[in-house]
Amino acid sequence: MPALALIFNAFVWGLSWFPFRHIESHGLHPVWTTCLIYLAIATVMGIVRRHAWKSFTAYPMLAVLGLAAGFTNVGFNWAVTQGDVVRVVLLFYLMPLWSVLLGWLLLGERPTGGALARVALALTGVVVVLKAPGTDWPVPSSLPDWLGLAAGFSFAVTNIVLRHLRPAPGESRALAMFCGCTFVAGIAALVGTSLGAIASPLQATPGWLGWAVLLGAGFVIGNVCLQYGAARLAASATSVIMLSEVLFASVSSVALGASTMDPRILTGGALIVLGAVWAAFARTPARGDDRASAST
């Protein structure tokens, strides 16, 4: 059951691009969608679990956690609606690279030879993915590429902060993430709309609401499944199972015409995923929920 719960969470996030694109087709930008969905979730949770607010004074780092989770969700949700889904998801899952660098800079964890080898493996995969025909250098070539990379980096920061906040109650951490997603998405949406880069939500047609309710329900149920599964499995097992999100996103997006798959993407993706699997098994098995409610 814990493994199935984690797979369901990966399924929700692997297919989240589909409802996001349908919502956008009704005129609501994914940043506004992210803001409104998490505003509803945070409001309900903040009322039902009022005692979760008490931990915010005892653990000021919850604010940092919320901001990191907010940038993660805004970047990922925006990227998968604008670019090639497989490419975005692969760039997002550069966890071995960002985790090693952040662990070194923020936690003083000097990288081992194995960690450096995983970084090299992941970077090789990135070069292969980004080195599209006609490009001189393997660098991000579009907004979705940059958003996917930024979201993956923010996700790594989220996990680092979660490790620091292990003593904090799980409900408070989840509430901080939901509030952070609302805040970051809200600021981005307001600024983008005022500059004319993002369409006003007032211009959207009513058809988006049903998809948003479905997506929000999926996020809540997926989060419950994540909390349940991650608390009962070793961190290494959790990390590997969550990589099934790449599979769900790849199969669904290719089947529905939102992505293309060629030998170059397959090769680069295999290197990135191999680096992530290697990093998962290199960790010390422990009970925990480092990714709890931080998904994308």
Side-chain angles (χ1 to χ4, degrees), residues 54-98:
K54 297 179 180 178
S55 297
F56 281 70
T57 55
Y59 300 97
M61 283 292 288
L62 285 171
V64 178
L65 176 63
L67 291 175
F71 281 108
T72 299
N73 278 267
V74 169
F76 182 82
N77 296 343
W78 192 351
V80 294
T81 60
Q82 304 298 314
D84 184 284
V85 175
V86 173
R87 186 179 173 104
V88 168
V89 171
L90 289 175
L91 293 176
F92 176 80
Y93 267 97
L94 284 176
M95 291 303 296
L97 171 61
W98 304 132

Side-chain angles (χ1 to χ4, degrees), residues 188-224:
L190 289 172
V191 171
T193 301
S194 65
L195 295 176
I198 295 177
S200 170
L202 299 178
Q203 300 175 2
T205 58
W208 67 269
L209 186 57
W211 286 103
V213 171
L214 177 64
L215 193 58
F219 286 164
V220 172
I221 297 173
N223 180 262
V224 172

Side-chain angles (χ1 to χ4, degrees), residues 78-79 82 141-148:
W78 192 351
Q82 304 298 314
S141 59
S142 64
L143 177 63
D145 282 356
W146 286 110
L147 288 172

Side-chain angles (χ1 to χ4, degrees), residues 115-231:
L116 292 176
R118 293 191 291 274
V119 168
L121 189 64
L123 284 176
T124 302
V126 172
V127 169
V128 173
V129 169
L130 294 180
K131 189 63 176 70
T135 58
D136 295 328
W137 295 96
V139 296
S141 59
S142 64
L143 177 63
D145 282 356
W146 286 110
L147 288 172
L149 285 170
F153 179 83
S154 298
F155 182 45
V157 174
T158 301
N159 283 338
I160 293 291
V161 178
L162 275 169
R163 289 170 59 184
H164 180 77
L165 288 172
R166 279 189 181 277
E171 291 178 332
S172 299
R173 285 180 285 165
L175 182 59
M177 291 179 182
F178 294 147
C179 289
C181 291
T182 304
F183 176 77
V184 174
I187 295 297
L190 289 172
V191 171
T193 301
S194 65
L195 295 176
I198 295 177
S200 170
L202 299 178
Q203 300 175 2
T205 58
W208 67 269
L209 186 57
W211 286 103
V213 171
L214 177 64
L215 193 58
F219 286 164
V220 172
I221 297 173
N223 180 262
V224 172
C225 289
L226 180 62
Q227 298 278 1
Y228 172 81

Side-chain angles (χ1 to χ4, degrees), residues 133 260-267:
T260 57
M261 191 71 72
D262 56 38
R264 177 178 57 83
I265 297 294
L266 286 172
T267 301

